[in-house]
Amino acid sequence: MNNNIKNNGATLKVYSTLSRRKEYFKSRNKTRIKFFVCGPTVYNDAHIGHGRTYVSFDMIKRYLEYKGYSVLYMQNITDIDDKIINRAKELAKANDDLSDLCSDLARKYERRYKEDMESLNIKSVNLFMRATDHMDEIISQIQRLIDKGYAYVTENGVYFEVNKFEEFAKLSNRNIDELEGHRLQGDSTKKDEKDFALWKVRTSTEYYGEPVWNSPWGKGRPGWHIEDTAITEEYFGEQYDIHGGGLDLIFPHHDAEIAQMEALSDKKPMVNYWFHTGFLNVNGEKMSKSLGNFITIRELLKEVSPETFRFFVLSTHYRSPIDFSKDSLHQAGKSLNKIKAYIADIDALLNDHFDDEDEIENQIDLIESTSYDVLKGTIVSFFNSMDDDFNTPKAISSIFELINNSKKELNDLDINDILAIKGFLLAVNDILGIIFLDDTSSGDNEEELLDLITEIRAKLRAEKQYELSDDIRSRLTDLGYEISD
């Protein structure tokens, strides 16, 4: 579709966690964006909180590309960590090689994570980078931090000296004197309990069998924070456009990343824009295994369609908290079905007018404008919403306004306006990814099922079983399908 239809030309504003305000987005390069998001620690299946975060960032990348940018989107894979080692120890049998078991475990859950992302229509990540494939880069970065006086060596490893970096915790906006108690404590060899590990020496017998790598400071493995900056420096350089992650990663993880990279490069800012997704709660409570409300993506998709979950996620702003419940999922499914039913009506009108899908696509590409005021208003509203810090709930609301204001008059519209509506909806789906168009068989089956239900209702009404017929219609309406007699 011509850009006059697709984009209203509004300027994109984004909220950055570092500045704590919305800013007009400006990439470091006029047409290219470097975009990094913290990936998973692969010791178990991804949960619905991961799903919320990565669906959100998939949408953001899709919209940036729709705006005309070339976006290089990279995630790290944390494939060495205490959680992986502890899980491997739980699973280990007699004579198992713990190091091999850790590697096998990480590869298994990395594969399953990528499968889960694919199931949610997340296909936007260009590069997945494992920590264990970048030990040379990690060791180099640590050594340079030592050489510049920001890190020091003890018998237990290498630590970043927090007091040497004056702006530490500027992302979380915390007072450096109040940082006691974060996860990186517990070593008496540190100069200060706030200092965090860059390299963990693992030569004592208590760590026997754990995965280790050679380093100038002894065999061991990297701390959690250093892998991200080593990877991004290698592929993006010392400064880049966007860094994303969950709200829980701001401190200490992202604060540590900033300290490492800006101390090393003497360049600020390390990242122009920091994006963070809000928390996902389950029935108003934090998701936790101890509370029995921990839900993996695989478990969820046994109960609901991936399209429904994706629509549920995007119905809330990516920075806002989101409450997961069966009722909220049910409502998301009903709303999505209403959009699908509207698209089916549009498709039926186009199929009656044109010979095949190729002709329809060609005609959509030729559309330069629309005279239909309802659609023009929707286009403006949708893109203004997306340009306002990716406000998907407001953008989705504009789609329902289009449906409500146009549905009864579709048959009276000019075919070019129907084509324009279809073109707009295709653009919406390119951005939101809420209709999984590759799965054409399910759509065909759904249409056949609705035809069958319509026939059954007609027979029931012919037999004067009006109450049962009306009950079927009522329940279909609850699911988002409109049946008229």
Side-chain angles (χ1 to χ4, degrees):
M1 177 185 274
N2 185 284
N3 283 336
N4 292 330
I5 296 288
K6 286 170 62 175
N7 197 336
N8 65 359
T11 302
L12 176 63
K13 294 186 76 173
V14 301
Y15 181 90
S16 178
T17 308
L18 184 58
S19 66
R20 295 170 186 84
R21 59 183 172 84
K22 289 182 184 178
E23 308 172 35
Y24 287 107
F25 182 80
K26 184 177 180 180
S27 57
R28 299 182 64 83
N29 179 285
K30 187 174 182 180
T31 59
R32 296 193 299 273
I33 293 173
K34 295 175 181 177
F35 182 17
F36 179 78
V37 173
C38 290
T41 301
V42 282
Y43 71 102
N44 204 341
D45 281 328
H47 54 67
I48 56 175
H50 293 124
R52 189 272 166 95
T53 290
Y54 297 125
V55 164
S56 298
F57 287 122
D58 177 70
M59 171 274 298
I60 288 173
K61 192 216 176 179
R62 285 168 178 257
Y63 191 60
L64 291 171
E65 288 187 328
Y66 188 84
K67 297 284 287 183
Y69 292 103
S70 173
V71 184
L72 178 58
Y73 177 11
M74 180 168 65
Q75 284 185 16
N76 69 306
I77 299 290
T78 300
D79 59 342
I80 181 62
D81 184 83
D82 288 341
K83 293 176 181 177
I84 296 171
I85 294 170
N86 292 337
R87 182 77 192 279
K89 287 179 178 178
E90 292 173 3
L91 299 173
K93 299 177 182 177
N95 300 320
D96 277 350
D97 184 295
L98 182 59
S99 182
D100 288 345
L101 191 57
C102 287
S103 178
D104 292 344
L105 189 73
R107 295 295 169 268
K108 171 186 175 180
Y109 285 109
E110 177 186 345
R111 173 180 54 78
R112 288 170 68 87
Y113 164 73
K114 291 177 180 177
E115 291 171 353
D116 289 342
M117 296 303 101
E118 182 82 11
S119 71
L120 294 176
N121 203 20
I122 297 172
K123 303 174 183 179
S124 58
V125 182
N126 303 108
L127 298 170
F128 290 100
M129 294 298 175
R130 297 170 180 160
T132 58
D133 289 338
H134 295 83
M135 286 299 166
D136 289 344
E137 291 80 4
I138 289 170
I139 290 169
S140 168
Q141 198 168 90
I142 294 171
Q143 185 60 60
R144 284 179 285 142
L145 284 167
I146 294 171
D147 294 342
K148 292 197 70 171
Y150 285 99
Y152 59 91
V153 182
T154 78
E155 63 189 68
N156 290 337
V158 183
Y159 292 93
F160 187 95
E161 192 168 354
V162 167
N163 287 325
K164 289 286 185 72
F165 188 77
E166 293 182 359
E167 294 183 296
F168 188 78
K170 64 182 175 179
L171 186 66
S172 61
N173 199 29
R174 298 191 182 200
N175 187 324
I176 193 170
D177 296 324
E178 299 173 355
L179 297 184
E180 292 81 8
H182 69 74
R183 62 172 274 177
L184 297 168
Q185 289 186 21
D187 184 349
S188 60
T189 68
K190 294 196 293 184
K191 292 182 180 181
D192 190 296
E193 61 184 3
K194 295 187 292 292
D195 298 346
F196 58 85
L198 301 173
W199 188 263
K200 301 177 180 181
V201 171
R202 291 293 184 259
T203 54
S204 66
T205 55
E206 66 180 296
Y207 302 114
Y208 178 76
E210 292 186 6
V212 292
W213 287 262
N214 291 321
S215 82
W217 321 287
K219 289 186 176 182
R221 57 184 175 82
W224 178 33
H225 310 309
I226 195 68
E227 68 176 86
D228 286 3
T229 51
I231 288 171
T232 55
E233 184 188 23
E234 174 69 12
Y235 298 99
F236 287 173
E238 297 166 333
Q239 295 175 295
Y240 56 99
D241 298 286
I242 303 170
H243 192 318
L247 203 62
D248 56 320
L249 296 181
I250 295 176
F251 179 85
H253 186 48
H254 291 165
D255 274 320
E257 284 189 59
I258 291 173
Q260 290 165 173
M261 197 66 253
E262 292 186 0
L264 197 59
S265 71
D266 293 320
K267 297 177 183 177
K268 300 176 184 179
M270 166 193 163
V271 172
N272 281 12
Y273 305 98
W274 287 87
F275 296 167
H276 290 95
T277 55
F279 291 116
L280 181 145
N281 295 317
V282 177
N283 294 315
E285 296 183 304
K286 181 179 179 181
M287 187 169 62
S288 167
K289 289 182 179 179
S290 62
L291 293 176
N293 63 359
F294 186 88
I295 305 169
T296 68
I297 293 170
R298 289 175 182 249
E299 290 169 339
L300 173 70
L301 296 186
K302 293 176 182 177
E303 304 292 332
V304 301
S305 74
E307 291 173 305
T308 297
F309 178 72
R310 188 175 176 107
F311 186 83
F312 162 75
V313 168
L314 296 178
S315 296
T316 297
H317 192 277
Y318 79 94
R319 286 191 289 112
S320 298
I322 187 170
D323 190 44
F324 176 94
S325 67
K326 287 186 176 180
D327 286 345
S328 58
L329 272 182
H330 177 67
Q331 184 58 50
K334 286 173 58 178
S335 298
L336 182 59
N337 283 337
K338 186 173 181 179
I339 295 175
K340 286 183 175 182
Y342 181 75
I343 292 173
D345 290 342
I346 296 293
D347 287 342
L349 290 170
L350 292 175
N351 290 331
D352 286 344
H353 198 277
F354 297 102
D355 293 333
D356 54 44
E357 289 294 325
D358 289 340
E359 185 181 3
I360 293 172
E361 290 179 12
N362 291 335
Q363 291 297 318
I364 289 172
D365 289 338
L366 294 174
I367 295 293
E368 298 208 1
S369 63
T370 177
S371 59
Y372 187 38
D373 288 339
V374 172
L375 177 58
K376 287 194 289 187
T378 298
I379 291 171
V380 170
S381 178
F382 180 88
F383 285 107
N384 281 346
S385 299
M386 291 302 297
D387 278 337
D388 183 16
D389 193 33
F390 315 102
N391 193 334
T392 52
K394 192 172 179 181
I396 289 171
S397 177
S398 71
I399 299 170
F400 286 110
E401 289 180 12
L402 170 66
I403 294 172
N404 294 334
N405 293 331
S406 68
K407 187 171 180 62
K408 292 182 179 179
E409 57 188 25
L410 287 179
N411 290 323
D412 300 324
L413 292 180
D414 183 88
I415 194 63
N416 285 332
D417 292 327
I418 298 296
L419 286 166
I421 292 173
K422 177 66 174 181
F424 168 69
L425 293 172
L426 288 172
V428 166
N429 196 52
D430 285 344
I431 294 164
L432 303 183
I434 52 176
I435 310 294
F436 296 2
L437 298 176
D438 292 340
D439 187 11
T440 55
S441 60
S442 62
D444 293 340
N445 291 339
E446 185 177 89
E447 188 173 336
E448 291 176 7
L449 180 59
L450 287 173
D451 288 342
L452 177 60
I453 292 172
T454 301
E455 290 178 15
I456 292 172
R457 289 189 66 248
K459 291 179 180 179
L460 290 172
R461 295 182 72 80
E463 296 171 2
K464 299 185 179 182
Q465 297 188 47
Y466 301 117
E467 186 175 345
L468 180 56
S469 175
D470 290 344
D471 182 50
I472 292 173
R473 181 177 63 181
S474 175
R475 295 177 69 176
L476 285 170
T477 300
D478 287 343
L479 293 172
Y481 299 103
E482 293 188 20
I483 305 293
S484 58
D485 295 317

